[in-house]
Amino acid sequence: MTESNFDRIAQIYDESLPAHVVDHYLEKRTTFVLEHCPRGSALDVGCGTGALAARLAGAGYEVVGLDPSEGMLRVLEERTSRVRAVRGSGTSIPFPDGSFDLVLSVAVMHHIAAADDVRRTLAEMVRVTSPGGRVLVWDHNPRNPYWRLLMARVPQDTGDERLVGVPELVRGLADAGAEPVLVTQLGMVPDFTPRALLGAAATAERAAERTPLLRRVCAHNVILALRR
């Protein structure tokens, strides 16, 4: 089996960004899930080292983490025993139809990149969601110019990525049978923010999220859909 870039960087992946900024976004995402998705079974597609999956498990969800990288999954298993680690691809999720109450992906679609594979992954996410269950896609916003600067500096990005916009994500979910019920942009704290300025940056972030024109260029597109 060929070693992937994610296998090679698995042990340093969690150190590629400042811990206090990572914690800010983990808390932000966990809070969003708690507010919008009832506790139940959850599948984290492209879970990586399982930082978010572990948070969700700690909040009461029954979480499975799916990732194609064995190296990443080994780190997940070292992190927590509360998340079941499964090796597999988002384009062919190894679970029956309707297996989960919540299926989510965070910062994954731009790594999948190819339009056909993005569409297949979205369709697979919808397929394994139970009727009436939630599908959550949280990914880089192409309107935010910061991403191209950051992606050139972190080891997980090799130049093969493609930033995927809202219309493509919404269309893929809708075509697969999920109705988008919330489409927004969230996040504005830069990854280089010093710890001492994190509070001020978070305050500015909340203001940007409440301002329509500024919100359009927030860091992440967030799409919540219900499977019909």
Side-chain angles (χ1 to χ4, degrees), residues 12-38:
I12 65 169
Y13 176 80
D14 288 335
E15 302 168 6
S16 63
L17 296 171
H20 60 281
V21 178
V22 171
D23 188 71
H24 167 79
Y25 281 112
L26 286 172
E27 185 65 25
K28 191 178 193 73
R29 290 159 184 161
T30 303
T31 298
F32 182 94
V33 171
L34 285 167
E35 288 178 351
H36 296 280
C37 306

PDB file of all heavy atoms in Angstrom, residues 12-38:
ATOM      1  N   ILE A  12       2.686  14.942  13.007  1.00  0.00           N
ATOM      2  CA  ILE A  12       2.916  16.383  13.199  1.00  0.00           C
ATOM      3  C   ILE A  12       1.714  17.225  12.807  1.00  0.00           C
ATOM      4  O   ILE A  12       1.730  18.447  12.963  1.00  0.00           O
ATOM      5  CB  ILE A  12       4.154  16.867  12.409  1.00  0.00           C
ATOM      6  CG1 ILE A  12       3.910  16.716  10.884  1.00  0.00           C
ATOM      7  CG2 ILE A  12       5.404  16.114  12.843  1.00  0.00           C
ATOM      8  CD1 ILE A  12       4.971  17.401  10.032  1.00  0.00           C
ATOM      9  N   TYR A  13       0.666  16.578  12.304  1.00  0.00           N
ATOM     10  CA  TYR A  13      -0.491  17.310  11.790  1.00  0.00           C
ATOM     11  C   TYR A  13      -1.087  18.241  12.837  1.00  0.00           C
ATOM     12  O   TYR A  13      -1.383  19.400  12.565  1.00  0.00           O
ATOM     13  CB  TYR A  13      -1.543  16.317  11.295  1.00  0.00           C
ATOM     14  CG  TYR A  13      -2.822  16.956  10.817  1.00  0.00           C
ATOM     15  CD1 TYR A  13      -2.905  17.508   9.542  1.00  0.00           C
ATOM     16  CD2 TYR A  13      -3.945  17.021  11.635  1.00  0.00           C
ATOM     17  CE1 TYR A  13      -4.081  18.101   9.097  1.00  0.00           C
ATOM     18  CE2 TYR A  13      -5.122  17.613  11.196  1.00  0.00           C
ATOM     19  CZ  TYR A  13      -5.179  18.147   9.930  1.00  0.00           C
ATOM     20  OH  TYR A  13      -6.336  18.743   9.506  1.00  0.00           O
ATOM     21  N   ASP A  14      -1.265  17.747  14.053  1.00  0.00           N
ATOM     22  CA  ASP A  14      -1.909  18.553  15.093  1.00  0.00           C
ATOM     23  C   ASP A  14      -1.035  19.709  15.558  1.00  0.00           C
ATOM     24  O   ASP A  14      -1.514  20.593  16.269  1.00  0.00           O
ATOM     25  CB  ASP A  14      -2.285  17.670  16.287  1.00  0.00           C
ATOM     26  CG  ASP A  14      -3.453  16.746  15.964  1.00  0.00           C
ATOM     27  OD1 ASP A  14      -4.246  17.084  15.076  1.00  0.00           O
ATOM     28  OD2 ASP A  14      -3.555  15.684  16.606  1.00  0.00           O
ATOM     29  N   GLU A  15       0.226  19.712  15.176  1.00  0.00           N
ATOM     30  CA  GLU A  15       1.132  20.791  15.565  1.00  0.00           C
ATOM     31  C   GLU A  15       1.326  21.817  14.452  1.00  0.00           C
ATOM     32  O   GLU A  15       2.082  22.773  14.611  1.00  0.00           O
ATOM     33  CB  GLU A  15       2.493  20.204  15.950  1.00  0.00           C
ATOM     34  CG  GLU A  15       2.414  19.189  17.081  1.00  0.00           C
ATOM     35  CD  GLU A  15       3.706  18.415  17.252  1.00  0.00           C
ATOM     36  OE1 GLU A  15       4.695  18.760  16.563  1.00  0.00           O
ATOM     37  OE2 GLU A  15       3.723  17.468  18.058  1.00  0.00           O
ATOM     38  N   SER A  16       0.634  21.629  13.326  1.00  0.00           N
ATOM     39  CA  SER A  16       0.875  22.509  12.177  1.00  0.00           C
ATOM     40  C   SER A  16       0.245  23.883  12.352  1.00  0.00           C
ATOM     41  O   SER A  16       0.593  24.827  11.636  1.00  0.00           O
ATOM     42  CB  SER A  16       0.346  21.859  10.896  1.00  0.00           C
ATOM     43  OG  SER A  16      -1.065  21.676  10.948  1.00  0.00           O
ATOM     44  N   LEU A  17      -0.703  24.016  13.294  1.00  0.00           N
ATOM     45  CA  LEU A  17      -1.350  25.296  13.579  1.00  0.00           C
ATOM     46  C   LEU A  17      -1.324  25.531  15.087  1.00  0.00           C
ATOM     47  O   LEU A  17      -1.286  24.572  15.863  1.00  0.00           O
ATOM     48  CB  LEU A  17      -2.791  25.298  13.062  1.00  0.00           C
ATOM     49  CG  LEU A  17      -2.956  25.167  11.546  1.00  0.00           C
ATOM     50  CD1 LEU A  17      -4.417  24.955  11.182  1.00  0.00           C
ATOM     51  CD2 LEU A  17      -2.381  26.371  10.823  1.00  0.00           C
ATOM     52  N   PRO A  18      -1.346  26.792  15.529  1.00  0.00           N
ATOM     53  CA  PRO A  18      -1.277  27.082  16.968  1.00  0.00           C
ATOM     54  C   PRO A  18      -2.433  26.433  17.732  1.00  0.00           C
ATOM     55  O   PRO A  18      -3.597  26.504  17.315  1.00  0.00           O
ATOM     56  CB  PRO A  18      -1.359  28.608  17.022  1.00  0.00           C
ATOM     57  CG  PRO A  18      -0.880  29.068  15.688  1.00  0.00           C
ATOM     58  CD  PRO A  18      -1.343  28.012  14.719  1.00  0.00           C
ATOM     59  N   ALA A  19      -2.112  25.828  18.864  1.00  0.00           N
ATOM     60  CA  ALA A  19      -3.099  25.054  19.617  1.00  0.00           C
ATOM     61  C   ALA A  19      -4.275  25.909  20.069  1.00  0.00           C
ATOM     62  O   ALA A  19      -5.422  25.440  20.077  1.00  0.00           O
ATOM     63  CB  ALA A  19      -2.429  24.395  20.821  1.00  0.00           C
ATOM     64  N   HIS A  20      -4.027  27.170  20.439  1.00  0.00           N
ATOM     65  CA  HIS A  20      -5.127  27.992  20.943  1.00  0.00           C
ATOM     66  C   HIS A  20      -6.105  28.366  19.832  1.00  0.00           C
ATOM     67  O   HIS A  20      -7.309  28.495  20.087  1.00  0.00           O
ATOM     68  CB  HIS A  20      -4.591  29.254  21.637  1.00  0.00           C
ATOM     69  CG  HIS A  20      -3.778  30.146  20.752  1.00  0.00           C
ATOM     70  ND1 HIS A  20      -2.463  29.898  20.444  1.00  0.00           N
ATOM     71  CD2 HIS A  20      -4.094  31.307  20.107  1.00  0.00           C
ATOM     72  CE1 HIS A  20      -1.988  30.851  19.659  1.00  0.00           C
ATOM     73  NE2 HIS A  20      -2.967  31.715  19.429  1.00  0.00           N
ATOM     74  N   VAL A  21      -5.623  28.510  18.600  1.00  0.00           N
ATOM     75  CA  VAL A  21      -6.531  28.794  17.479  1.00  0.00           C
ATOM     76  C   VAL A  21      -7.286  27.523  17.089  1.00  0.00           C
ATOM     77  O   VAL A  21      -8.496  27.565  16.810  1.00  0.00           O
ATOM     78  CB  VAL A  21      -5.754  29.366  16.280  1.00  0.00           C
ATOM     79  CG1 VAL A  21      -6.693  29.606  15.107  1.00  0.00           C
ATOM     80  CG2 VAL A  21      -5.057  30.664  16.673  1.00  0.00           C
ATOM     81  N   VAL A  22      -6.596  26.392  17.078  1.00  0.00           N
ATOM     82  CA  VAL A  22      -7.269  25.123  16.814  1.00  0.00           C
ATOM     83  C   VAL A  22      -8.386  24.896  17.821  1.00  0.00           C
ATOM     84  O   VAL A  22      -9.514  24.508  17.463  1.00  0.00           O
ATOM     85  CB  VAL A  22      -6.252  23.962  16.858  1.00  0.00           C
ATOM     86  CG1 VAL A  22      -6.974  22.614  16.794  1.00  0.00           C
ATOM     87  CG2 VAL A  22      -5.259  24.076  15.711  1.00  0.00           C
ATOM     88  N   ASP A  23      -8.106  25.156  19.100  1.00  0.00           N
ATOM     89  CA  ASP A  23      -9.121  24.967  20.138  1.00  0.00           C
ATOM     90  C   ASP A  23     -10.313  25.903  19.923  1.00  0.00           C
ATOM     91  O   ASP A  23     -11.462  25.515  20.137  1.00  0.00           O
ATOM     92  CB  ASP A  23      -8.507  25.215  21.514  1.00  0.00           C
ATOM     93  CG  ASP A  23      -9.460  24.848  22.626  1.00  0.00           C
ATOM     94  OD1 ASP A  23      -9.705  23.649  22.829  1.00  0.00           O
ATOM     95  OD2 ASP A  23      -9.956  25.772  23.306  1.00  0.00           O
ATOM     96  N   HIS A  24     -10.046  27.125  19.480  1.00  0.00           N
ATOM     97  CA  HIS A  24     -11.129  28.076  19.193  1.00  0.00           C
ATOM     98  C   HIS A  24     -12.086  27.497  18.154  1.00  0.00           C
ATOM     99  O   HIS A  24     -13.318  27.532  18.340  1.00  0.00           O
ATOM    100  CB  HIS A  24     -10.538  29.393  18.692  1.00  0.00           C
ATOM    101  CG  HIS A  24     -11.546  30.318  18.071  1.00  0.00           C
ATOM    102  ND1 HIS A  24     -12.401  31.092  18.817  1.00  0.00           N
ATOM    103  CD2 HIS A  24     -11.834  30.573  16.762  1.00  0.00           C
ATOM    104  CE1 HIS A  24     -13.186  31.790  18.007  1.00  0.00           C
ATOM    105  NE2 HIS A  24     -12.860  31.502  16.761  1.00  0.00           N
ATOM    106  N   TYR A  25     -11.538  26.960  17.074  1.00  0.00           N
ATOM    107  CA  TYR A  25     -12.398  26.436  16.011  1.00  0.00           C
ATOM    108  C   TYR A  25     -13.052  25.107  16.401  1.00  0.00           C
ATOM    109  O   TYR A  25     -14.193  24.833  15.999  1.00  0.00           O
ATOM    110  CB  TYR A  25     -11.611  26.309  14.711  1.00  0.00           C
ATOM    111  CG  TYR A  25     -11.464  27.650  14.016  1.00  0.00           C
ATOM    112  CD1 TYR A  25     -10.238  28.284  13.900  1.00  0.00           C
ATOM    113  CD2 TYR A  25     -12.583  28.292  13.487  1.00  0.00           C
ATOM    114  CE1 TYR A  25     -10.118  29.517  13.277  1.00  0.00           C
ATOM    115  CE2 TYR A  25     -12.472  29.527  12.866  1.00  0.00           C
ATOM    116  CZ  TYR A  25     -11.237  30.134  12.760  1.00  0.00           C
ATOM    117  OH  TYR A  25     -11.121  31.358  12.153  1.00  0.00           O
ATOM    118  N   LEU A  26     -12.366  24.291  17.178  1.00  0.00           N
ATOM    119  CA  LEU A  26     -13.001  23.058  17.655  1.00  0.00           C
ATOM    120  C   LEU A  26     -14.208  23.389  18.532  1.00  0.00           C
ATOM    121  O   LEU A  26     -15.272  22.761  18.408  1.00  0.00           O
ATOM    122  CB  LEU A  26     -11.995  22.217  18.444  1.00  0.00           C
ATOM    123  CG  LEU A  26     -10.932  21.492  17.628  1.00  0.00           C
ATOM    124  CD1 LEU A  26      -9.899  20.872  18.557  1.00  0.00           C
ATOM    125  CD2 LEU A  26     -11.563  20.423  16.736  1.00  0.00           C
ATOM    126  N   GLU A  27     -14.063  24.361  19.412  1.00  0.00           N
ATOM    127  CA  GLU A  27     -15.170  24.765  20.266  1.00  0.00           C
ATOM    128  C   GLU A  27     -16.303  25.359  19.441  1.00  0.00           C
ATOM    129  O   GLU A  27     -17.484  25.092  19.687  1.00  0.00           O
ATOM    130  CB  GLU A  27     -14.688  25.776  21.301  1.00  0.00           C
ATOM    131  CG  GLU A  27     -15.736  26.174  22.325  1.00  0.00           C
ATOM    132  CD  GLU A  27     -16.163  25.015  23.211  1.00  0.00           C
ATOM    133  OE1 GLU A  27     -15.363  24.068  23.379  1.00  0.00           O
ATOM    134  OE2 GLU A  27     -17.301  25.054  23.720  1.00  0.00           O
ATOM    135  N   LYS A  28     -15.953  26.129  18.426  1.00  0.00           N
ATOM    136  CA  LYS A  28     -16.960  26.751  17.557  1.00  0.00           C
ATOM    137  C   LYS A  28     -17.774  25.686  16.827  1.00  0.00           C
ATOM    138  O   LYS A  28     -19.008  25.761  16.751  1.00  0.00           O
ATOM    139  CB  LYS A  28     -16.245  27.672  16.563  1.00  0.00           C
ATOM    140  CG  LYS A  28     -17.141  28.599  15.767  1.00  0.00           C
ATOM    141  CD  LYS A  28     -16.282  29.483  14.872  1.00  0.00           C
ATOM    142  CE  LYS A  28     -17.111  30.613  14.307  1.00  0.00           C
ATOM    143  NZ  LYS A  28     -17.439  31.632  15.325  1.00  0.00           N
ATOM    144  N   ARG A  29     -17.096  24.687  16.305  1.00  0.00           N
ATOM    145  CA  ARG A  29     -17.786  23.641  15.555  1.00  0.00           C
ATOM    146  C   ARG A  29     -18.613  22.744  16.470  1.00  0.00           C
ATOM    147  O   ARG A  29     -19.736  22.366  16.125  1.00  0.00           O
ATOM    148  CB  ARG A  29     -16.764  22.826  14.760  1.00  0.00           C
ATOM    149  CG  ARG A  29     -16.173  23.640  13.623  1.00  0.00           C
ATOM    150  CD  ARG A  29     -14.859  23.107  13.126  1.00  0.00           C
ATOM    151  NE  ARG A  29     -14.318  24.001  12.107  1.00  0.00           N
ATOM    152  CZ  ARG A  29     -13.046  24.026  11.728  1.00  0.00           C
ATOM    153  NH1 ARG A  29     -12.166  23.197  12.281  1.00  0.00           N
ATOM    154  NH2 ARG A  29     -12.639  24.876  10.797  1.00  0.00           N
ATOM    155  N   THR A  30     -18.059  22.412  17.615  1.00  0.00           N
ATOM    156  CA  THR A  30     -18.813  21.587  18.565  1.00  0.00           C
ATOM    157  C   THR A  30     -20.076  22.299  19.015  1.00  0.00           C
ATOM    158  O   THR A  30     -21.162  21.698  19.089  1.00  0.00           O
ATOM    159  CB  THR A  30     -17.935  21.240  19.778  1.00  0.00           C
ATOM    160  OG1 THR A  30     -16.752  20.570  19.334  1.00  0.00           O
ATOM    161  CG2 THR A  30     -18.681  20.350  20.759  1.00  0.00           C
ATOM    162  N   THR A  31     -19.964  23.587  19.307  1.00  0.00           N
ATOM    163  CA  THR A  31     -21.132  24.374  19.722  1.00  0.00           C
ATOM    164  C   THR A  31     -22.184  24.398  18.627  1.00  0.00           C
ATOM    165  O   THR A  31     -23.387  24.255  18.886  1.00  0.00           O
ATOM    166  CB  THR A  31     -20.707  25.799  20.093  1.00  0.00           C
ATOM    167  OG1 THR A  31     -19.795  25.740  21.202  1.00  0.00           O
ATOM    168  CG2 THR A  31     -21.903  26.647  20.470  1.00  0.00           C
ATOM    169  N   PHE A  32     -21.751  24.573  17.385  1.00  0.00           N
ATOM    170  CA  PHE A  32     -22.698  24.594  16.256  1.00  0.00           C
ATOM    171  C   PHE A  32     -23.437  23.261  16.168  1.00  0.00           C
ATOM    172  O   PHE A  32     -24.669  23.227  16.004  1.00  0.00           O
ATOM    173  CB  PHE A  32     -21.951  24.871  14.954  1.00  0.00           C
ATOM    174  CG  PHE A  32     -22.847  24.967  13.750  1.00  0.00           C
ATOM    175  CD1 PHE A  32     -23.314  26.193  13.314  1.00  0.00           C
ATOM    176  CD2 PHE A  32     -23.228  23.821  13.041  1.00  0.00           C
ATOM    177  CE1 PHE A  32     -24.153  26.283  12.197  1.00  0.00           C
ATOM    178  CE2 PHE A  32     -24.054  23.905  11.947  1.00  0.00           C
ATOM    179  CZ  PHE A  32     -24.517  25.139  11.523  1.00  0.00           C
ATOM    180  N   VAL A  33     -22.706  22.158  16.246  1.00  0.00           N
ATOM    181  CA  VAL A  33     -23.346  20.840  16.158  1.00  0.00           C
ATOM    182  C   VAL A  33     -24.348  20.655  17.291  1.00  0.00           C
ATOM    183  O   VAL A  33     -25.472  20.191  17.082  1.00  0.00           O
ATOM    184  CB  VAL A  33     -22.282  19.728  16.163  1.00  0.00           C
ATOM    185  CG1 VAL A  33     -22.943  18.360  16.286  1.00  0.00           C
ATOM    186  CG2 VAL A  33     -21.442  19.789  14.893  1.00  0.00           C
ATOM    187  N   LEU A  34     -23.973  21.038  18.503  1.00  0.00           N
ATOM    188  CA  LEU A  34     -24.876  20.894  19.644  1.00  0.00           C
ATOM    189  C   LEU A  34     -26.144  21.723  19.459  1.00  0.00           C
ATOM    190  O   LEU A  34     -27.232  21.308  19.876  1.00  0.00           O
ATOM    191  CB  LEU A  34     -24.163  21.300  20.927  1.00  0.00           C
ATOM    192  CG  LEU A  34     -23.136  20.302  21.466  1.00  0.00           C
ATOM    193  CD1 LEU A  34     -22.271  20.949  22.540  1.00  0.00           C
ATOM    194  CD2 LEU A  34     -23.839  19.068  22.017  1.00  0.00           C
ATOM    195  N   GLU A  35     -26.024  22.886  18.839  1.00  0.00           N
ATOM    196  CA  GLU A  35     -27.178  23.768  18.652  1.00  0.00           C
ATOM    197  C   GLU A  35     -28.104  23.279  17.549  1.00  0.00           C
ATOM    198  O   GLU A  35     -29.309  23.534  17.596  1.00  0.00           O
ATOM    199  CB  GLU A  35     -26.697  25.182  18.326  1.00  0.00           C
ATOM    200  CG  GLU A  35     -26.073  25.907  19.516  1.00  0.00           C
ATOM    201  CD  GLU A  35     -25.564  27.290  19.143  1.00  0.00           C
ATOM    202  OE1 GLU A  35     -25.543  27.615  17.928  1.00  0.00           O
ATOM    203  OE2 GLU A  35     -25.160  28.032  20.051  1.00  0.00           O
ATOM    204  N   HIS A  36     -27.568  22.574  16.560  1.00  0.00           N
ATOM    205  CA  HIS A  36     -28.356  22.267  15.361  1.00  0.00           C
ATOM    206  C   HIS A  36     -28.613  20.782  15.130  1.00  0.00           C
ATOM    207  O   HIS A  36     -29.450  20.442  14.274  1.00  0.00           O
ATOM    208  CB  HIS A  36     -27.664  22.842  14.124  1.00  0.00           C
ATOM    209  CG  HIS A  36     -27.577  24.334  14.118  1.00  0.00           C
ATOM    210  ND1 HIS A  36     -28.647  25.130  13.757  1.00  0.00           N
ATOM    211  CD2 HIS A  36     -26.563  25.188  14.440  1.00  0.00           C
ATOM    212  CE1 HIS A  36     -28.284  26.408  13.853  1.00  0.00           C
ATOM    213  NE2 HIS A  36     -27.033  26.460  14.261  1.00  0.00           N
ATOM    214  N   CYS A  37     -27.937  19.911  15.853  1.00  0.00           N
ATOM    215  CA  CYS A  37     -28.023  18.478  15.558  1.00  0.00           C
ATOM    216  C   CYS A  37     -28.253  17.695  16.848  1.00  0.00           C
ATOM    217  O   CYS A  37     -27.360  17.655  17.702  1.00  0.00           O
ATOM    218  CB  CYS A  37     -26.729  17.988  14.901  1.00  0.00           C
ATOM    219  SG  CYS A  37     -26.253  18.937  13.427  1.00  0.00           S
ATOM    220  N   PRO A  38     -29.433  17.099  17.001  1.00  0.00           N
ATOM    221  CA  PRO A  38     -29.698  16.316  18.211  1.00  0.00           C
ATOM    222  C   PRO A  38     -28.647  15.217  18.398  1.00  0.00           C
ATOM    223  O   PRO A  38     -28.118  14.667  17.428  1.00  0.00           O
ATOM    224  CB  PRO A  38     -31.082  15.718  17.946  1.00  0.00           C
ATOM    225  CG  PRO A  38     -31.695  16.610  16.915  1.00  0.00           C
ATOM    226  CD  PRO A  38     -30.564  17.096  16.069  1.00  0.00           C
TER     227      PRO A  38
END
